[in-house]
Amino acid sequence: MKTGALVAAAGLSSRMNCFKPLLPLGDSTLLRYGLRTLLTAGAFPVAVVTGREEAVIRASLDDLPVTCLYNPEYAACQ
């Protein structure tokens, strides 16, 4: 049986005062750490919903086997 994963990374991070998905964590970022954990556990397919900083997130993940899905209405979902 396959188990996929959907990771939400489309928020504004307005209460945090910094962009949470790209926060440093060790030698990586919070988002990459979580995605690598899912991939190592065998999750497939893995999709990341982006919004704010979509291009930066997409570029930071282009070496991982994940699909980025852009939500143009991300600000309205807060």
Side-chain angles (χ1 to χ4, degrees):
M1 176 175 18
K2 289 184 180 181
T3 300
L6 181 65
V7 177
L12 296 174
S13 301
S14 57
R15 293 173 295 180
M16 186 80 168
N17 293 326
C18 60
F19 193 50
K20 286 183 274 188
L22 299 180
L23 277 174
L25 182 62
D27 63 349
S28 189
T29 64
L30 185 62
L31 180 58
R32 283 184 67 87
Y33 183 87
L35 291 171
R36 285 195 315 238
T37 300
L38 288 167
L39 293 166
T40 298
F44 186 82
V46 176
V48 179
V49 180
T50 64
R52 176 182 166 199
E53 303 293 336
E54 187 269 341
V56 176
I57 290 176
R58 186 180 295 272
S60 75
L61 303 177
D62 71 353
D63 63 319
L64 295 178
V66 301
T67 301
C68 290
L69 306 168
Y70 177 63
N71 174 11
E73 300 294 323
Y74 68 92
C77 297
Q78 303 302 308

